[in-house]
């Protein structure tokens, strides 16, 4: 597929306005809306902002999804390391079925295809898709906030949730690059080119799935109350102490590493397979296209590092984010 064909498929995927049902349009008309920097309009639903295409998937998911007791949900705020988390969890839970060898699925398939997004993949095309073919345990991913998850998942005592969180300064920079990568000469309105605009929107919470701090805090609080159900992981910690966090993650997912596996160097092999350096250099991730969205797989790989915000955010911006947003919203809750 050429990049133009891929772009036109992606356009169709994002711009669903023409394909919305009358029922959904009526529903949208009841919601507060704001001109979006990415996409035509953002709509406020249960305290969070969404692009219509995403909201349609969320509504269908909430209406039709039935959790199974062994379901695993990988949840992130966008640009927090979703691709990495999907790669790691897929490899951990399938390590007996798919040993780390040349023909491992991650070598030929982008992680977003292996672990599908609920709202933008599974419930994007169909209102009520049949999920019977999925192997157990089923693993899904989503950016949906805690309070918008179906009650059946929130109340389940057996489903597991892994929430990956990232430094918001790096999220902003990653988001800005992502939006600009999706921008096309003819459709500049699709994305902003100014990091200041992305930054201001983020601070006001008016980007997809925003506000960030509420998204992250709700999962953090839930993880404190129910640590067997929600595992709260930080991108930066995973970078600093990968083995320790991989071990904890596998234990949380009820598939701990045996001492033989540890001694054989399996943890290091998993980290290597799922590393940014390895994945971003695979043909499938350099030139492949995601079948469900038409997006180039490469848009999910940029630097994969911590601290790039230092190259993009001014002191003033950092001060605003830390003082006004983070400390104001997070103080008193013991979140660092
Ligand atoms: P999302 O949009 O679905 O949430 P996500 O994977 O969170 O995808 O976004 C891409 C970010 O994860 C990029 O961050 P950056 O812009 O700061 O570089 C991307 O580089 C990073 N990323 C992708 N794969 C990996 C990986 N294997 N290890 C670490 N970071 C990764």
């Amino acid at each position: 597929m050429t990049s133009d064909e891929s772009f036109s498929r992606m356009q169709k995927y994002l711009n669903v306005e023409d394909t919305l049902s009358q029922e959904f349009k009526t529903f949208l008309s009841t919601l507060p809306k704001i001109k979006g920097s990415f996409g035509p309009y953002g709509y406020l639903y249960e305290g969070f902002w969404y692009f219509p295409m995403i909201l349609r998937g969320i509504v269908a998911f909430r209406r039709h999804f039935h959790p199974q007791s062994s379901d695993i949900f990988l949840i992130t705020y966008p640009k927090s390391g979703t691709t990495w988390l999907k790669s790691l969890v897929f490899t951990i839970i399938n390590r007996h079925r798919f040993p780390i060898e040349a023909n491992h699925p991650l070598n030929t398939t982008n992680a977003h295809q292996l672990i599908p997004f609920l709202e933008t993949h599974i419930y994007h095309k169909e209102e009520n898709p049949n999920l019977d073919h999925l192997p157990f345990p089923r693993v899904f991913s989503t950016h949906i906030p805690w309070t918008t998850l179906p009650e059946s998942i929130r109340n389940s005592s057996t489903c597991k949730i892994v929430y990956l969180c990232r430094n918001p300064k790096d999220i902003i920079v990653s988001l800005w690059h992502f939006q600009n990568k999706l921008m096309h000469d003819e459709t500049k309105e699709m994305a902003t080119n100014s990091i200041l605009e992305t930054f201001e929107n983020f601070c006001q919470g008016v980007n997809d799935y925003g506000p960030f701090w509420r998204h992250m805090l709700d999962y953090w609080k839930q993880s404190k109350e129910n640590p067997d159900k929600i595992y709260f992981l930080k991108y930066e910690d995973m970078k600093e102490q990968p083995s320790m966090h991989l071990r904890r993650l596998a234990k949380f997912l009820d598939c701990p590493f045996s001492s033989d596996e540890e001694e054989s160097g399996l943890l290091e092999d998993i980290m290597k397979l799922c590393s940014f350096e390895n994945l971003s250099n695979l043909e499938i991730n350099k030139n492949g296209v995601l079948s469900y969205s038409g997006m180039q797989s490469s848009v999910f790989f940029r630097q994969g590092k911590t601290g790039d915000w230092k190259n993009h955010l001014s002191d003033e911006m950092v001060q605003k984010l830390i003082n006004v947003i983070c400390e104001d919203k997070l103080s008193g809750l013991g979140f660092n």
Side-chain angles (χ1 to χ4, degrees):
M1 193 184 295
T2 65
S3 61
D4 274 356
E5 282 166 345
S6 149
F7 181 77
S8 117
R9 276 187 63 184
M10 195 188 73
Q11 281 282 75
K12 275 195 202 133
Y13 169 74
L14 291 172
N15 295 318
V16 293
E17 301 272 359
D18 294 346
T19 65
L20 299 177
S21 67
Q22 194 49 50
E23 182 202 2
F24 191 73
K25 281 183 184 161
T26 308
F27 162 71
L28 279 185
S29 71
T30 65
L31 303 177
K33 74 174 181 180
I34 193 166
K35 180 87 185 82
S37 60
F38 182 58
Y41 282 100
Y43 290 85
L44 187 66
Y45 176 65
E46 298 191 344
F48 291 85
W49 291 97
Y50 304 96
F51 193 55
M53 176 277 271
I54 293 172
L55 192 48
R56 184 176 65 172
I58 291 177
V59 170
F61 160 63
R62 282 171 54 112
R63 194 177 279 170
H64 299 290
F65 184 80
H66 298 288
Q68 303 291 319
S69 57
S70 59
D71 282 352
I72 298 169
F73 300 90
L74 308 184
I75 308 188
T76 52
Y77 188 83
K79 303 297 141 209
S80 299
T82 319
T83 316
W84 193 19
L85 181 64
K86 287 186 184 191
S87 308
L88 289 169
V89 169
F90 179 88
T91 308
I92 292 172
I93 65 169
N94 290 303
R95 64 188 188 268
H96 301 301
R97 207 167 131 219
F98 301 121
I100 302 183
E101 291 166 356
N103 62 353
H104 190 277
L106 273 174
N107 286 326
T108 48
T109 314
N110 179 280
H112 293 289
Q113 301 273 160
L114 294 173
I115 298 186
F117 276 112
L118 284 159
E119 67 275 27
T120 52
H121 184 167
I122 296 182
Y123 288 91
H124 172 63
K125 285 222 168 81
E126 282 182 69
E127 162 83 18
N128 187 13
N130 184 345
L131 306 182
D132 290 349
H133 63 284
L134 295 176
F136 283 68
R138 306 186 308 177
V139 190
F140 303 101
S141 82
T142 180
H143 296 311
I144 298 175
W146 169 257
T147 45
T148 301
L149 283 182
E151 263 185 47
S152 53
I153 298 177
R154 282 189 283 149
N155 294 339
S156 163
S157 56
T158 53
C159 292
K160 290 195 177 275
I161 292 175
V162 179
Y163 186 85
L164 179 66
C165 148
R166 189 180 188 188
N167 183 332
K169 300 196 280 290
D170 280 333
I171 291 180
I172 293 170
V173 173
S174 184
L175 187 62
W176 176 63
H177 280 285
F178 179 74
Q179 290 175 346
N180 286 335
K181 266 191 204 168
L182 295 189
M183 189 172 74
H184 193 266
D185 288 349
E186 292 156 32
T187 52
K188 286 207 186 319
E189 65 192 303
M190 262 186 73
T192 169
N193 216 359
S194 143
I195 194 161
L196 191 62
E197 201 181 332
T198 302
F199 175 83
E200 291 297 341
N201 285 339
F202 188 92
C203 290
Q204 287 169 38
V206 292
N207 48 317
D208 280 339
Y209 302 93
F212 158 80
W213 53 89
R214 222 192 110 194
H215 194 284
M216 187 266 296
L217 261 188
D218 281 350
Y219 281 105
W220 184 75
K221 280 191 264 179
Q222 291 302 324
S223 75
K224 290 285 159 207
E225 281 170 26
N226 206 341
D228 293 334
K229 179 187 171 104
I230 304 183
Y231 185 69
F232 193 95
L233 185 61
K234 294 182 192 162
Y235 183 98
E236 294 73 22
D237 290 350
M238 196 70 189
K239 280 270 176 195
E240 265 179 36
Q241 294 179 291
S243 297
M244 184 178 94
H245 291 289
L246 205 58
R247 204 172 283 123
R248 287 185 184 168
L249 185 56
K251 188 161 179 259
F252 172 79
L253 295 171
D254 291 332
C255 49
F257 296 112
S258 66
S259 43
D260 281 354
E261 286 180 319
E262 293 252 1
E263 279 159 27
S264 72
L266 180 65
L267 277 73
E268 290 73 23
D269 290 346
I270 293 177
M271 289 310 299
K272 206 168 151 198
L273 174 71
C274 300
S275 68
F276 178 86
E277 291 67 30
N278 181 54
L279 294 181
S280 62
N281 281 308
L282 295 170
E283 176 60 22
I284 184 70
N285 293 327
K286 281 205 287 197
N287 296 312
V289 169
L290 299 183
S291 65
Y292 62 93
S293 66
M295 276 184 203
Q296 307 271 351
S297 301
S298 58
V299 298
F300 293 97
F301 299 92
R302 189 181 65 90
Q303 284 198 338
K305 290 186 181 153
T306 57
D308 188 36
W309 59 268
K310 291 176 194 143
N311 301 315
H312 292 89
L313 304 187
S314 66
D315 291 350
E316 202 186 355
M317 290 157 104
V318 171
Q319 221 36 55
K320 177 167 178 175
L321 190 69
I322 293 174
N323 295 344
V324 180
I325 305 299
C326 292
E327 286 186 7
D328 181 41
K329 314 284 188 224
L330 309 183
S331 65
L333 290 158
F335 189 88
N336 178 0

